[in-house]
Amino acid sequence: MIQLQELTKRYGNKVILDGVTETIETGEFFVILGPSGAGKSTLLKILAGIEKLDKGKIIVDGKDITNLPPEKRNVAMVFQNYALYPNMTVYDNIAFPLKMKRMTKDEIQKRVERVAKLLGITDILKMNVTKISGGQQQRVALARAIVREPSFYLLDEPLSNLDARVRFVARGELKRIQKELNGTFIYVTHDQKEAMSLADRIAVLHNGKFEQVGTPTELYEYP
Ligand code: ADP
Ligand code: ADP
């Protein structure tokens, strides 16, 4: 469970977040929806620990992580411009964060193979990442995040670089993977359709606050 308590952030005298408060359940696919400039990326960066809060608290499973540095938060972030290491194989891209943790080769191989299977990329593990499609690259980026077994995931418009047809398939895949992991996903988008097809709950970020929070049905399907 992730508790956001009165999260407040300004840049100069511009208020970006004005007391964002919400509880996100473990295993929930939580989508933050809002137009460009609403402060969505800022909020994710704050959760990742790469941007500082002015005020407020972040509590994860009862533990206050507000002042922890990024590497101590056990959180994975997936961006739109997922930077894969271009001169490495798919396998080595996924294995990289585990090598940084000095995990044994056997353990690394076990984890990489398990994640590759989950994402359907076992066949391309030996390929150079520059030789695979955009959709496959996106899976590799996700695999690299999943392999660390983080306590929650932050996804910043991760599908927006894919063409429409691939994006449609990728949404279904992402949802399946999230359920299979029972992962807590906090997913940012400006696309209402995307939010509706993915979310357990949607929070609409407006004027620095979650203006509405609810299931897609509660928010967008009127009786
Ligand atoms: P979104 O992700 O919803 O598009 P952002 O969080 O990227 O919104 O940005 C919210 C607002 O904060 C924008 O007006 C943006 O220009 C501003 N902003 C973002 N980062 C900085 C920064 N480092 N310094 C000053 N202003 C920033
Ligand atoms: P290192 O490069 O650190 O010596 P290993 O000896 O574990 O790593 O493996 C050598 C290379 O073989 C790895 O860098 C990786 O590219 C590849 N490799 C290892 N296991 C697999 C696997 N299950 N599928 C595909 N490629 C693999």
Side-chain angles (χ1 to χ4, degrees), residues 86-130:
N87 292 314
M88 290 190 198
T89 62
V90 169
Y91 182 95
D92 288 335
N93 263 274
I94 300 170
F96 192 78
L98 303 183
K99 286 189 178 170
M100 294 294 99
K101 285 189 177 177
R102 302 182 177 282
M103 212 171 262
T104 67
K105 281 188 182 178
D106 281 358
E107 178 65 12
I108 290 176
Q109 185 165 350
K110 239 188 262 164
R111 283 228 212 164
V112 173
E113 285 174 358
R114 195 166 63 220
V115 171
K117 196 170 165 204
L118 177 70
L119 287 155
I121 53 175
T122 304
D123 292 347
I124 60 166
L125 280 175
K126 289 197 165 75
M127 290 181 73
N128 189 291
V129 289
T130 52

Side-chain angles (χ1 to χ4, degrees), residues 6 11 46 69 79 115 131 155 180 215:
E6 298 286 327
Y11 286 122
I46 285 169
F79 299 93
V115 171
K131 299 279 194 286
L155 302 104
E180 215 156 305
T215 65

Side-chain angles (χ1 to χ4, degrees), residues 137-170:
Q137 289 178 353
Q138 189 58 66
R139 283 169 195 236
V140 176
L142 188 58
R144 194 174 54 182
I146 291 170
V147 82
R148 292 167 47 215
E149 301 179 356
S151 47
F152 61 99
Y153 296 83
L154 304 171
L155 302 104
D156 194 349
E157 311 226 8
L159 307 182
S160 58
N161 276 349
L162 304 177
D163 71 53
R165 193 184 53 84
V166 178
R167 190 160 63 229
F168 180 78
V169 177

